[in-house]
Amino acid sequence: MIHIFEPILFDTTLRDGSQSEGVSFSIGDKIKIAQRLDDYGIHYIEGGWPGSNPKDEEFFVKAQNLNLKNTELVAFSSTKKIGINVENDVNINKLITAGVKTVTIFAKSWDFHVIEALNISCEENLKLIEDTIKYLKYNGMNVFFDAEHFFDGFNHNAKYAMKTLQVAQDSGASTIILCDTNGGQIPSRVREIIKTVKKEINVPLGIHAHNDSGLAVANSLVALEEGVEQIQGTIGGLGERCGNTDLSILIPILKFKYNLPLTSIKIDKTTSIYNFVMEIANLTPENRKPFVGRSAFTHKGGVHVSAIIKNPLTYEHIPPEAVGNERRILVSELSGKSNLKSKIEELGFDASKFSESQIKSLTSKIKEYEHQGYQFEGADASLKLLIMREFYDYVPDFQVANFKILSYNFGEETSTEAVIKLKVKDKVVHAVSEGDGPVNALDYALRKALEDFFPILKDIKLIDYKVRVLDSSSGTASKVRVLIETKDSERTWTTVGVSSNIIEASWDALIDSIEYGLYINNCSETKSYSNIKM
């Protein structure tokens, strides 16, 4: 193992991460994320570019009231503008008044960009770097220098790329960050270039890698092995185009593969902060994300599950709880008894109370359902209800007598109305509601019928709705599978419905969703699993 030192972790989720397609953080969002990153133990947080937009400027004003314990907030900017004195540059002076001690300045280190993008001479670019860093140092600032496009610049004109670093060092930059801005480098080349840089540059180095080739984490690790002291990245790999070095992957690797202490990092909160940032960014967490994804410690094949039960190390490279994740066992047509028993336990049942014939019966029933198109891998709530209906004296809170959908077309306007008849606690209830389409109308009508009996429904929200056609060769008569994701104040659950009628499939998933939500909020009469049918 190469001997390396614990790196300085620099998070740029609030700046570079906000450049992700479809992501826009409010000031409140940025404050919340900064607080969570501080609690997690990140050393530096790049809060934004106060000179580029009013939102970032206001963020730094409000951030001065944050009581950050583990991290230091950093402001970001380009060098001064060409043609004016640095002391008259509004952007640079906003760094000085941002209430931070450390700033990051970026400048071109690729002569191609200097000439083609900035339309200035290479010497003028060096002067911008020198004047900006010296002015900030004169005003008491600690300056990090981002050498933008450094690796491409080195490959094209190594002498000039190195000159930009030398000027930054001589002007007083405390750390020089080598940027793979286009994300096109491979690890072996990164290693070669850093070795060359270290022969001429004496200040600490950092790495800022983009992920356009899927190698941002790998390139950051190679840089660390070559003595780079600061690693920049974002939570979830957010960032422009294909994103940046993913700290939610990199940090666990540093901890568990390089065996670094990471004394400031609360490593068991890695999954939590990943999900939190995805939620704030209004993005769906990636199930297959290493370490923190929902599928990262999920097991499906019967052979795998049998081994996992005996010893988790057989198919898990670290314990899931080490990064705040959890082990999941799936049941499907590939499942054996080991899968099912483990899943029964995971769902809160006592598997030892099930006879072998019951396990066999349940396995056959699941496989029969999946043959029809059901999929319980991502629909634990529907699976739990199935087990309760089959093997326990489970009584749902309501029974559906019937429902109907009415659609009206008035010129360019379309209206959908749902009519539902239910039986709730020996009372017959009718409800009518309009909605944006049949599923929305059914959801509104169902809640309207039940909320007087179960006020908790006001806290239960449908948050995702997915439809998949199972057999496209049948055209409009194809079966569809509907997955509905629902949440309350503490939990999230998923239910499934299948039918050749999309409304019926949606209705089945919706009923399961509401029924399960009432059950876990202790609204049902069935409150234990002691009354198994033997």
Side-chain angles (χ1 to χ4, degrees):
M1 172 65 69
I2 299 172
H3 181 67
I4 60 175
F5 296 96
E6 184 171 330
I8 295 167
L9 296 169
F10 183 109
D11 181 276
T12 182
T13 301
L14 301 183
R15 202 271 304 171
D16 214 338
S18 68
Q19 295 176 198
S20 295
E21 182 178 3
V23 173
S24 178
F25 295 128
S26 68
I27 295 172
D29 292 338
K30 296 181 73 165
I31 292 291
K32 291 175 185 175
I33 292 173
Q35 290 173 319
R36 289 292 288 266
L37 289 170
D38 175 55
D39 178 66
Y40 184 52
I42 294 293
H43 302 116
Y44 288 97
I45 300 172
E46 194 168 62
W49 186 343
S52 70
N53 63 84
K55 182 166 65 175
D56 280 4
E57 186 174 4
E58 186 178 348
F59 165 76
F60 281 101
V61 172
K62 293 190 174 182
Q64 292 181 39
N65 297 320
L66 293 175
N67 183 27
L68 300 178
K69 298 179 175 62
N70 301 304
T71 194
E72 182 179 336
L73 202 61
V74 179
F76 176 88
S77 178
S78 63
T79 56
K80 79 176 188 72
K81 293 181 180 178
I82 190 76
I84 62 173
N85 293 329
V86 65
E87 60 268 21
N88 297 325
D89 191 294
V90 175
N91 284 346
I92 300 304
N93 284 315
K94 283 184 177 180
L95 293 177
I96 297 170
T97 59
V100 299
K101 298 177 182 178
T102 300
V103 297
T104 298
I105 293 295
F106 80 92
K108 308 293 186 184
S109 58
W110 187 1
D111 60 347
F112 170 73
H113 263 261
V114 174
I115 296 167
E116 296 293 330
L118 297 183
N119 295 315
I120 62 175
S121 71
C122 290
E123 286 303 316
E124 285 176 313
N125 183 56
L126 296 177
K127 185 62 174 170
L128 295 181
I129 297 170
E130 179 183 7
D131 288 352
T132 304
I133 295 177
K134 283 185 174 180
Y135 179 69
L136 290 168
K137 292 294 292 182
Y138 176 78
N139 282 275
M141 312 298 290
N142 178 39
V143 181
F144 294 157
F145 176 68
D146 274 6
E148 190 184 29
H149 292 286
F150 174 75
F151 292 97
D152 287 311
F154 188 96
N155 289 330
H156 185 266
N157 185 341
K159 184 176 179 180
Y160 183 75
M162 290 300 301
K163 185 64 175 175
T164 62
L165 304 190
Q166 193 68 56
V167 169
Q169 175 178 264
D170 294 345
S171 301
S174 64
T175 302
I176 292 176
I177 294 89
L178 310 178
C179 301
D180 181 19
T181 311
N182 282 353
Q185 302 302 310
I186 61 174
S188 59
R189 185 58 177 153
V190 169
R191 189 186 299 277
E192 291 173 5
I193 293 175
I194 291 175
K195 284 181 176 180
T196 301
V197 171
K198 286 180 67 65
K199 293 176 183 177
E200 300 183 35
I201 299 300
N202 300 318
V203 300
L205 299 176
I207 181 78
H208 179 104
H210 279 256
N211 200 42
D212 298 69
S213 300
L215 294 170
V217 169
N219 286 335
S220 296
L221 292 171
V222 163
L224 182 66
E225 291 177 359
E226 291 304 320
V228 164
E229 297 182 23
Q230 183 188 111
I231 300 180
Q232 297 192 357
T234 61
I235 300 298
L238 296 180
E240 197 163 11
R241 303 185 314 276
C242 301
N244 292 32
T245 297
D246 190 342
L247 294 181
S248 56
I249 295 175
L250 178 102
I251 289 175
I253 290 175
L254 296 178
K255 177 69 175 180
F256 300 111
K257 308 307 177 182
Y258 285 83
N259 298 314
L260 298 178
L262 300 187
T263 51
S264 73
I265 297 294
K266 296 179 180 177
I267 193 71
D268 62 339
K269 292 191 175 183
T270 304
T271 300
S272 174
I273 196 168
Y274 168 71
N275 288 325
F276 177 80
V277 170
M278 293 301 103
E279 176 71 22
I280 294 293
N282 197 29
L283 297 174
T284 302
E286 296 179 39
N287 284 347
R288 291 179 177 82
K289 179 77 73 174
F291 296 102
V292 297
R294 196 163 181 257
S295 299
F297 300 96
T298 295
H299 308 281
K300 178 176 177 178
V303 173
H304 288 216
V305 174
S306 178
I308 280 288
I309 292 171
K310 295 171 184 174
N311 190 327
L313 290 177
T314 53
Y315 286 99
E316 291 177 350
H317 62 117
I318 66 167
E321 58 271 14
V323 289
N325 209 332
E326 62 182 6
R327 181 178 302 116
R328 295 170 59 241
I329 305 297
L330 303 181
V331 292
S332 71
E333 73 281 355
L334 302 178
S335 299
K337 292 180 181 179
S338 298
N339 288 62
L340 190 54
K341 287 182 178 180
S342 181
K343 190 65 180 182
I344 287 171
E345 294 282 352
E346 182 186 319
L347 292 175
F349 302 98
D350 184 353
S352 67
K353 293 187 176 181
F354 286 76
S355 66
E356 286 299 312
S357 62
Q358 287 175 318
I359 294 292
K360 184 176 180 180
S361 172
L362 183 56
T363 301
S364 297
K365 186 167 288 292
I366 289 171
K367 290 183 177 182
E368 178 185 340
Y369 269 100
E370 294 212 342
H371 181 69
Q372 296 173 20
Y374 281 81
Q375 186 182 72
F376 293 107
E377 293 177 10
D380 284 359
S382 286
L383 178 59
K384 188 168 184 175
L385 289 173
L386 171 64
I387 294 173
M388 290 163 60
R389 290 164 184 154
E390 288 294 318
F391 299 108
Y392 294 86
D393 296 325
Y394 169 72
V395 179
D397 301 286
F398 59 92
Q399 292 82 37
V400 179
N402 56 64
F403 72 88
K404 61 182 177 180
I405 299 293
L406 304 172
S407 291
Y408 307 93
N409 190 297
F410 305 100
E412 296 182 356
E413 296 184 8
T414 301
S415 175
T416 303
E417 183 178 270
V419 183
I420 296 177
K421 181 179 179 181
L422 303 175
K423 186 176 181 181
V424 188
K425 297 182 177 180
D426 296 325
K427 293 184 179 180
V428 176
V429 181
H430 287 83
V432 181
S433 187
E434 291 185 338
D436 296 326
V439 179
N440 187 239
L442 284 169
D443 185 31
Y444 283 166
L446 186 58
R447 292 170 183 276
K448 187 175 182 180
L450 295 175
E451 279 186 354
D452 286 344
F453 298 92
F454 309 107
I456 191 67
L457 280 175
K458 294 177 181 178
D459 297 326
I460 296 176
K461 309 294 183 185
L462 189 156
I463 60 173
D464 199 7
Y465 173 82
K466 296 185 179 74
V467 179
R468 181 178 178 186
V469 177
L470 300 180
D471 180 17
S472 58
S473 63
S474 299
T476 54
S478 300
K479 277 189 176 182
V480 296
R481 178 167 59 235
V482 172
L483 290 171
I484 288 180
E485 188 174 4
T486 313
K487 67 175 294 187
D488 59 14
S489 59
E490 299 177 359
R491 293 152 293 203
T492 301
W493 60 95
T494 305
T495 51
V496 61
V498 174
S499 175
S500 56
N501 183 324
I502 190 172
I503 295 176
E504 183 177 343
S506 301
W507 176 250
D508 288 346
L510 181 62
I511 288 292
D512 272 10
S513 170
I514 298 300
E515 192 175 317
Y516 187 77
L518 295 178
Y519 181 82
I520 61 176
N521 282 282
N522 296 319
C523 296
S524 298
E525 296 178 7
T526 309
K527 294 187 173 62
S528 72
Y529 304 118
S530 58
N531 48 347
I532 188 169
K533 301 173 184 176
M534 301 305 292

